[in-house]
Amino acid sequence: MFKVLMTLLLGSLSLFASTSPEAIPDITMTWVGFASLLIFLVGYYLVAAEEKYGIDKAKPALFIGTFMFILIAIYYSLNDLDMNLVHVQAQHLILEIAEIFFFLFVAMTYIESLLHMGVFDRLKYNLISKGYTYRKLFWVTGFLAFFISPVADNLTTALILSTVLITIEKSRKDFLVPGAINIVVAANAGGAWSPFGDITTLMAWAAGKGQFSDFLYLFPAAVLGYFVTAFLLSRFVPKVVPAFDASKEKQPKMAEGAKVVMLLGVLTIVCAVLSHQVLHLPAMWGMMFGLSLLKVYAYGLKRKYGDEHFNIFHSMAKIENNTLMFFFGILAAVGALYFIGWLALASVVYDPSVLGPTWSNIGVGFLSAIVDNVPVMSAILKANPEMGVDQWMLVTMTAGIGGSLISFGSAAGVGVMGKMHGIYTFGSHMKYSWTILLGYIVSVSIWYFQYHILGITH
């Protein structure tokens, strides 16, 4: 859920807008509806209990995502329903997943390439040599994540800074776990106050639910909510200076061409944004073009310095494929829940006689952490409840930052779980989830103060 992951917008909109709601039968109260819901819950439990059973989260996610759609197809076939609906929905789901898959593929390739060329070792040296304590490093990486995310994207930002963390320290969980949570929360909060900062804000802006400036009013709520969580988390980070002996540790030298690779990485992000905003191509297209530039440059380095200097295919081989498979599975599973009709039921709560918009929008944050903010926001936009700008700003904020409540509730969290496998997990995240919840409450309170006490209407 981020502007560089705004690639999700095209996929999600095409997925949910390709066929009108009336044309898709509601099969929630059928055997396939209940079976799919049960399968999703069991799969969700296995993902959450990754540490307990020692099973990689990608395995149950991939199983439930594929199996649920197979069951839907069987039900349609047995009941002589329009099989073309299944085909069309599956095609659009594949498009959505492919856009995410290739976007992540390129981002991860660049990160592994920068790792190989010693960029993160150099960054680690620069940070540690200044004598910063673990706690100060915690704050530095957190604020970098918060302010880079609106410009770049929350997933790429989280991947880069989690790589910095694991480069600084590989074993101290009292630094790594709070640091990882801090980066995830900061990246998601930083993307919540920009129209391009998160998939939810982008979807709402594209749907005309707010002007560009309306989203900027969310900055106080985003930054103060993040600060509360970061402050509480920082209490658990030791005030110890990482071991560093300047006489023994020489400044790492980046490989020849590393700076150009860094510039190509920035150019690739720019290409992704321009592809979507100007050329009306998927953001993934710009990312793949950036990958092609990296390949051309890698060929030049090979010709100049030899085969072992930089081999881009070696970088590709080191990509966290389990993270990509997890995304495939979880997006397929959520797509199945929407196709069946379960997510459409959420719009009922917006009725004033049930919960009303404020409490419903607050609840969206928790729902987006459990399911995924893309289909949740899509369902809300499709239902189009009668709400003012203040409520649309609330739901874009809660859907964006609510994913931080659970480790795999956001793209940033999933990416960091893959990068810090065995360290940043569902269990380690939930140990500190109360700090995120308090920050979430503060963000909502600031929103209430702005819009209902101060009376901001635009």
Side-chain angles (χ1 to χ4, degrees):
M1 317 143 218
F2 47 85
K3 98 245 68 322
V4 183
L5 251 198
M6 32 185 192
T7 176
L8 281 173
L9 176 64
L10 297 180
S12 60
L13 289 181
S14 60
L15 171 63
F16 300 127
S18 58
T19 312
S20 63
E22 292 78 17
I24 302 178
D26 183 351
I27 55 175
T28 53
M29 299 303 164
T30 63
W31 66 264
V32 71
F34 289 112
S36 296
L37 185 60
L38 178 62
I39 291 169
F40 180 83
L41 293 175
V42 172
Y44 178 85
Y45 168 75
L46 291 175
V47 169
E50 178 183 15
E51 291 178 278
K52 181 178 180 180
Y53 297 106
I55 181 173
D56 189 279
K57 63 184 178 295
K59 296 178 180 178
L62 192 59
F63 175 81
I64 64 174
T66 52
F67 188 49
M68 286 167 67
F69 252 97
I70 290 174
L71 287 181
I72 293 172
I74 292 174
Y75 178 86
Y76 267 63
S77 178
L78 292 176
N79 291 274
D80 294 323
L81 296 175
D82 186 2
M83 294 298 294
N84 187 56
L85 286 175
V86 180
H87 180 74
V88 170
Q89 292 296 310
Q91 278 190 322
H92 285 290
L93 185 61
I94 291 170
L95 174 62
E96 175 191 3
I97 293 173
E99 291 180 0
I100 300 169
F101 188 98
F102 286 110
F103 189 100
L104 296 179
F105 181 83
V106 176
M108 291 178 175
T109 299
Y110 264 99
I111 290 172
E112 292 298 336
S113 299
L114 294 173
L115 269 171
H116 172 76
M117 304 190 88
V119 173
F120 292 109
D121 287 330
R122 178 68 171 270
L123 180 58
K124 167 194 171 182
Y125 179 91
N126 291 342
L127 289 174
I128 296 181
S129 62
K130 295 181 183 298
Y132 292 164
T133 63
Y134 284 117
R135 186 172 293 185
K136 193 164 187 178
L137 291 169
F138 168 93
W139 282 106
V140 169
T141 53
F143 274 107
L144 283 174
F146 184 87
F147 288 103
I148 291 176
S149 180
V151 179
D153 68 273
N154 57 3
L155 176 59
T156 303
T157 299
L159 285 173
I160 290 174
L161 290 171
S162 62
T163 303
V164 173
L165 279 189
I166 204 69
T167 305
I168 292 173
E169 175 60 59
K170 292 181 171 59
S171 59
R172 291 199 62 152
K173 290 189 176 182
D174 56 352
F175 165 65
L176 291 174
V177 173
I181 297 172
N182 182 43
I183 286 173
V184 171
V185 174
N188 287 334
W193 55 275
S194 166
F196 309 104
D198 191 278
I199 181 60
T200 53
T201 59
L202 181 61
M203 292 171 71
W205 183 59
K209 301 305 181 183
Q211 300 298 319
F212 186 93
S213 59
D214 290 324
F215 294 91
L216 301 182
Y217 282 101
L218 293 175
F219 177 79
V223 70
L224 291 176
Y226 160 67
F227 181 80
V228 168
T229 296
F231 175 79
L232 294 173
L233 280 173
S234 68
R235 302 298 95 188
F236 299 96
V237 180
K239 287 185 176 180
V240 179
V241 178
F244 178 79
D245 188 345
S247 63
K248 294 182 179 180
E249 296 193 36
K250 296 181 180 180
Q251 187 179 55
K253 184 179 179 181
M254 295 189 297
E256 294 293 335
K259 292 182 179 179
V260 176
V261 173
M262 293 169 65
L263 290 175
L264 287 176
V266 175
L267 178 61
T268 298
I269 293 176
V270 172
C271 288
V273 175
L274 293 178
S275 291
H276 175 70
Q277 296 298 120
V278 179
L279 303 178
H280 300 284
L281 292 169
M284 169 273 296
W285 211 265
M287 292 293 285
M288 293 298 289
F289 175 70
L291 180 62
S292 71
L293 296 180
L294 180 61
K295 282 177 171 287
V296 171
Y297 185 64
Y299 175 74
L301 290 176
K302 175 184 175 181
R303 297 270 296 182
K304 188 173 183 179
Y305 299 104
D307 293 343
E308 299 304 318
H309 182 76
F310 175 55
N311 189 324
I312 191 171
F313 294 104
H314 290 172
S315 298
M316 292 179 178
K318 295 179 180 179
I319 288 174
E320 295 286 346
N321 288 296
N322 62 324
T323 300
L324 297 176
M325 292 299 103
F326 175 82
F327 266 110
F328 180 96
I330 210 67
L331 285 173
V334 169
L337 289 179
Y338 181 89
F339 188 29
I340 289 170
W342 285 115
L343 295 184
L345 296 178
S347 61
V348 177
V349 300
Y350 279 89
D351 192 305
S353 63
V354 185
L355 288 178
T358 299
W359 286 108
S360 296
N361 290 332
I362 293 173
V364 163
F366 297 94
L367 183 60
S368 68
I370 297 173
V371 184
D372 183 75
N373 62 355
V374 176
V376 171
M377 193 63 180
S378 296
I380 294 170
L381 288 171
K382 186 168 286 295
N384 197 25
E386 287 292 331
M387 299 193 299
V389 173
D390 59 331
Q391 292 294 341
W392 283 110
M393 292 302 101
L394 174 61
V395 73
T396 55
M397 181 183 72
T398 56
I401 67 176
S404 302
L405 292 166
I406 294 178
S407 60
F408 48 81
S410 67
V414 173
V416 176
M417 287 178 75
K419 180 58 64 177
M420 302 176 65
H421 187 71
I423 297 175
Y424 177 59
T425 62
F426 175 84
S428 63
H429 182 98
M430 294 307 292
K431 180 180 178 181
Y432 300 98
S433 60
W434 61 273
T435 66
I436 306 170
L437 178 59
L438 289 177
Y440 183 81
I441 293 172
V442 169
S443 291
V444 173
S445 300
I446 297 297
W447 167 87
Y448 184 83
F449 178 77
Q450 286 181 263
Y451 286 92
H452 291 268
I453 304 298
L454 298 181
I456 294 176
T457 57
H458 58 81

